[in-house]
Amino acid sequence: MSDRVLDVKNLSIDIPLAEGMLHAVDGIDIHVDKGETLCIVGESGCGKSLTSLAVMDLLPKKAIRRLERLDLAGASILDYSEQQMSDIRGSKMGMIFQEPMTSLNPAFTIGNQMVETLQRHRKMNRVAARDLAKRMLEKVGITAADQRLNQYPHQLSGGLRQRVMIAMTLLCEPELIIADEPTTALDVTIQAQILLLLQELQSEFDMGLILITHDLGVVARIATRVAVMYAGQIVEQGTVKQIFDNPMHPYTRGLMRCIPVPGKTKPGEPLGSIPGMVPSLVGKFTGCRFAERCDHVTDACRQSDIELRAESGKTQGYRCIIDAKEMAKVA
Amino acid sequence: MLFYSIKRFGLATLVALTVSFISFGLLYLSSDPAIAMAGETASDADIEAIRKLYGFDRPILVQYLDWLQRAIAGDLGKSYYFRTDVSSLIGERLPTTMMLGVSAITFAIVFSVPLGVAAAIRPNSIIDRIALFLSVMGQALPSFWFALMLIILLSVNLRLLPTSGSDTWLHFVMPTVVLGYYAAPAIMRLTRTGMLEVLSTDYIRTARAKGLRPSVVLFKHALRNAIIPVVSLAAVQFGFMLGGSIVVETIFALHGAGFLAWESITRNDLPTVQGLILVFSLFYIVLTFLADLLNAWLDPRIRIS
Ligand SMILES: Nc1ncnc2c1ncn2[C@@H]1O[C@H](COP(=O)(O)OP(=O)(O)OP(=O)(O)O)[C@@H](O)[C@H]1O
Ligand SMILES: [Mg+2]
């Protein structure tokens, strides 16, 4: 497919720890097309950040990455050297991180940090690079861009810094942007602005966007497709409509019960929550990872690993032994 | 930045005044200055005459202000032993000490910053272990012992370098190494810890996510931040070397201010000791002040607040 921006097949990440091997991510497939927003959701520690860092090849040194396929814009980058990877980082794919307060270097001006990115990837003199940086700041809604270029990160608010990060990531017009909880550290009012901005820019530049978030309200508004992660695996994926209207996996269903619905959820009524804890992923694990917390668990769930099964014409898939018909009954 | 500098300057002045008062008081703490000047065998009447002549009978604060006024004008009194002006005595010796201090701190920085960076890039590697070994040695070896070993090896056995004196640059090689090696471990450790800390920050991850070359990530983004505390430390170490080179200057018979300190201490030459303490402390204060300014210049968060 020509407009496939990212294609990842069978990604696993192991981290050696003192207590044994942590299988943090196990057999993940994701893909993003041009102009599409893939939202990855799942609770803290399920491997969302590691997955995105693995795509950028920026994992911590001790982490061991295994992959069957890693294609960016139709070309395999699986066997790229560090040198080749650094050529495409920042130019063909960019990443926005959770902490705008610490993601920019305190010792250099905004202008300096933007210009260096451009000059790394494009043949451009300082003046032209500065000019482009200024226009990009304006594009992300920053006023008085000229002055901002001369300011240091600590002189800007968190929301502004995240806008700067977005502008910096967009400079070389990458085909793919990965945003790892870009608004978690910001005020609620600013969160919405930043997400809307990301969405706008994504369609303007016709990029692929991977957005990692905890916020299902956000997902409902801007996702094209959704991947639900649990304990290092994707337990369900599908279009945003499929996931919200017809969640199949018991974990996804649990998540959906956690969102308050205006008009339906009465004030004071407790929101759903999923009791229990995520299993330890140190050492070998067999069977369904959600079994401990699942209402529908049977012996079969613990005996062998569960494959991701395809439903609804293959765009939706989920990892559960209960098939669609039965699932409709238990709901 | 201006406000910051003024605040620092005010602070430095206060410290300098305090130090000057202490070094002034030193004369009175140790013994009655009138007796010291008149000599042990002088009669009570002679001592009393000297006390009047030099104004030792006036209130202490008046004497201090008087002394301070003269000190500021460059008059630090007369040396009991050398029978000359203390200020010109110190002035003659300072260039040697300065030269030793500058070469030693340069040696320490050139030796330990690259080593610290290399150790931080690969923690627990061979280089890291060598750096650790060298710094433990540097901290554990007493300078006089290290100096003597160098003399035995380089001067006595190999006959490469002169043992004492300050005539040529060759005379400065061993003192520089000994004094610099004494300061190197702290600088090395601080560079290493600073680099390790900075290398795990979010903005380094951002720099890599932008595709910057490893050398740019390391030397522009990381070192620039890690070096800020190192600059302060080096300035303090430099001040310490100017005053603390007594042992090294004595062993190598470099006729600098440190050697002068040793001479005047052993001869009970209080005005000279007093003058030296004042000068050394002022150096220290000025250097700390300059280090603060340099720090602010390097760190925009201090410079623009
Ligand atoms: N450098 C590391 N060393 C050891 N373990 C790590 C490291 N980085 C991540 N992990 C572990 O890997 C698992 C997945 O981490 P990851 O950061 O990908 O989670 P996440 O889904 O992004 O969580 P969050 O929503 O809190 O950001 C966690 O259990 C975490 O403890
Ligand atoms: Mg995360």
Side-chain angles (χ1 to χ4, degrees):
Chain A
M1 226 178 292
S2 63
D3 57 358
R4 182 135 298 181
V5 173
L6 179 74
D7 195 352
V8 177
K9 186 145 188 267
N10 210 358
L11 165 68
S12 298
I13 303 166
D14 294 343
I15 301 178
L17 299 178
E19 30 323 351
M21 189 62 90
L22 171 74
H23 302 289
V25 169
D26 182 19
I28 278 188
D29 299 342
I30 46 174
H31 62 87
V32 187
D33 291 345
K34 239 187 169 112
E36 196 179 57
T37 300
L38 171 69
C39 280
I40 303 183
V41 298
E43 62 198 278
S44 197
C46 68
K48 305 182 295 293
S49 296
L50 286 181
T51 301
S52 52
L53 290 172
V55 171
M56 299 286 292
D57 197 14
L58 286 177
L59 285 171
K61 269 205 195 104
K62 60 182 172 186
I64 304 156
R65 181 184 83 164
R66 270 172 291 116
L67 271 166
E68 221 164 277
R69 180 161 67 222
L70 178 60
D71 291 356
L72 184 73
S76 174
I77 57 169
L78 187 53
D79 300 320
Y80 270 25
S81 65
E82 173 56 28
Q83 165 78 40
Q84 286 172 306
M85 280 308 293
S86 73
D87 285 343
I88 58 172
R89 275 187 221 125
S91 68
K92 291 194 167 170
M93 56 181 178
M95 187 154 178
I96 300 164
F97 299 97
Q98 177 172 349
E99 279 296 334
M101 302 313 272
T102 51
S103 290
L104 291 161
N105 194 322
F108 302 102
T109 59
I110 304 301
N112 182 315
Q113 298 184 55
M114 291 182 81
V115 166
E116 78 175 342
T117 313
L118 271 170
Q119 289 193 317
R120 165 70 176 87
H121 297 292
R122 302 268 182 273
K123 279 200 166 28
M124 244 186 197
N125 62 34
R126 280 198 79 78
V127 182
R130 231 185 127 80
D131 194 55
L132 185 58
K134 185 186 143 201
R135 274 185 283 131
M136 202 51 93
L137 285 185
E138 281 160 358
K139 199 165 219 81
V140 299
I142 291 180
T143 52
D146 249 335
Q147 280 112 286
R148 296 295 183 202
L149 284 175
N150 290 323
Q151 286 185 315
Y152 288 90
H154 75 274
Q155 296 173 280
L156 310 182
S157 67
L160 268 183
R161 283 190 224 185
Q162 200 60 300
R163 280 176 197 265
V164 168
M165 272 301 289
I166 293 172
M168 198 158 78
T169 311
L170 285 171
L171 279 172
C172 298
E173 305 190 13
E175 328 226 6
L176 173 72
I177 285 196
I178 305 177
D180 187 356
E181 305 192 35
T183 58
T184 308
L186 302 174
D187 287 346
V188 181
T189 46
I190 296 166
Q191 288 187 2
Q193 294 171 9
I194 297 281
L195 286 167
L196 282 178
L197 175 72
L198 265 179
Q199 195 183 17
E200 263 171 48
L201 293 166
Q202 185 236 17
S203 56
E204 181 178 338
F205 288 90
D206 203 23
M207 306 174 292
L209 174 65
I210 297 182
L211 179 69
I212 294 172
T213 177
H214 284 288
D215 187 341
L216 290 172
V218 168
V219 176
R221 275 170 69 191
I222 80 172
T224 319
R225 285 184 306 108
V226 183
V228 182
M229 277 185 75
Y230 184 80
Q233 291 182 326
I234 290 181
V235 291
E236 180 156 8
Q237 62 180 336
T239 63
V240 64
K241 193 164 162 41
Q242 287 164 344
I243 297 292
F244 278 82
D245 293 354
N246 186 26
M248 300 299 291
H249 194 280
Y251 175 65
T252 317
R253 295 175 164 215
L255 277 184
M256 294 303 159
R257 275 198 299 274
C258 299
I259 330 175
V261 183
K264 263 173 93 180
T265 312
K266 293 181 196 74
E269 179 186 333
L271 285 174
S273 66
I274 308 171
M277 291 214 326
V278 185
S280 159
L281 296 178
V282 175
K284 191 165 162 42
F285 194 97
T286 317
C288 174
R289 296 175 177 207
F290 189 59
E292 285 307 314
R293 301 167 75 180
C294 185
D295 296 336
H296 316 292
V297 62
T298 60
D299 284 344
C301 298
R302 294 204 173 89
Q303 270 151 20
S304 59
D305 288 341
I306 318 290
E307 294 301 311
L308 197 70
R309 63 159 89 204
E311 287 294 333
S312 311
K314 287 209 181 266
T315 54
Q316 186 172 9
Y318 66 99
R319 224 179 255 275
C320 185
I321 54 168
I322 307 175
D323 70 26
K325 272 197 216 116
E326 275 177 76
M327 192 67 89
K329 275 183 263 164
V330 297
Chain B
M1 179 77 179
L2 187 67
F3 179 67
Y4 174 84
S5 315
I6 292 172
K7 213 169 72 182
R8 290 283 139 177
F9 184 75
L11 214 64
T13 314
L14 273 181
V15 176
L17 280 176
T18 316
V19 165
S20 73
F21 190 72
I22 293 171
S23 65
F24 164 77
L26 221 62
L27 266 184
Y28 291 85
L29 269 180
S30 46
S31 64
D32 187 333
I35 299 178
M37 284 179 89
E40 300 289 337
T41 53
S43 68
D44 284 357
D46 288 345
I47 294 173
E48 210 47 48
I50 285 188
R51 187 163 286 145
K52 273 246 151 48
L53 183 66
Y54 285 92
F56 291 138
D57 53 346
R58 291 172 301 163
I60 193 98
L61 202 65
V62 176
Q63 287 188 52
Y64 166 67
L65 288 176
D66 187 39
W67 173 86
L68 186 64
Q69 204 176 3
R70 277 185 284 128
I72 289 170
D75 177 7
L76 291 171
K78 264 199 165 27
S79 156
Y80 295 163
Y81 176 76
F82 295 97
R83 304 278 162 195
T84 51
D85 271 1
V86 169
S87 30
S88 51
L89 197 58
I90 296 178
E92 271 165 36
R93 304 292 193 94
L94 269 184
T96 305
T97 297
M98 282 288 196
M99 200 145 113
L100 177 60
V102 169
S103 61
I105 194 72
T106 310
F107 171 75
I109 290 171
V110 167
F111 174 78
S112 43
V113 169
L115 200 57
V117 171
I121 297 174
R122 294 188 192 288
N124 300 321
S125 65
I126 290 285
I127 292 190
D128 192 18
R129 275 150 215 250
I130 292 175
L132 179 67
F133 174 76
L134 286 175
S135 81
V136 169
M137 293 284 284
Q139 263 154 355
L141 289 184
S143 349
F144 71 86
W145 188 81
F146 184 40
L148 291 178
M149 288 301 122
L150 277 185
I151 291 177
I152 291 175
L153 182 69
L154 297 178
S155 304
V156 179
N157 288 340
L158 298 175
R159 300 191 172 279
L160 289 176
L161 294 168
T163 49
S164 61
S166 45
D167 308 328
T168 66
W169 67 270
L170 281 177
H171 288 94
F172 281 88
V173 174
M174 283 193 291
T176 296
V177 171
V178 173
L179 197 58
Y181 193 45
Y182 181 71
I187 297 180
M188 207 276 292
R189 303 308 290 169
L190 193 63
T191 308
R192 180 185 180 273
T193 346
M195 278 302 275
L196 272 181
E197 201 182 300
V198 168
L199 283 176
S200 65
T201 58
D202 289 350
Y203 56 82
I204 293 300
R205 189 182 53 189
T206 305
R208 297 181 61 213
K210 294 197 294 186
L212 299 182
R213 296 186 193 289
S215 56
V216 177
V217 174
L218 206 60
F219 293 109
K220 180 180 173 185
H221 285 263
L223 190 58
R224 175 58 205 274
N225 285 285
I227 208 74
I228 294 173
V230 177
V231 166
S232 304
L233 177 70
V236 172
Q237 296 260 27
F238 182 48
F240 186 74
M241 282 175 177
L242 292 181
S245 58
I246 300 184
V247 172
V248 174
E249 287 189 8
T250 309
I251 291 178
F252 293 101
L254 279 179
H255 286 263
F259 192 59
L260 178 65
W262 181 71
E263 287 172 302
S264 45
I265 289 168
T266 52
R267 289 174 176 123
N268 249 326
D269 186 356
L270 273 176
T272 312
V273 175
Q274 187 188 42
L276 282 168
I277 289 176
L278 191 67
V279 169
F280 286 153
S281 325
L282 284 183
F283 268 131
Y284 204 84
I285 292 165
V286 168
L287 281 169
T288 316
F289 173 64
L290 289 180
D292 282 343
L293 290 194
L294 199 57
N295 235 316
W297 183 69
L298 285 173
D299 188 347
R301 281 164 299 183
I302 305 180
R303 178 157 36 106
I304 309 158
S305 50

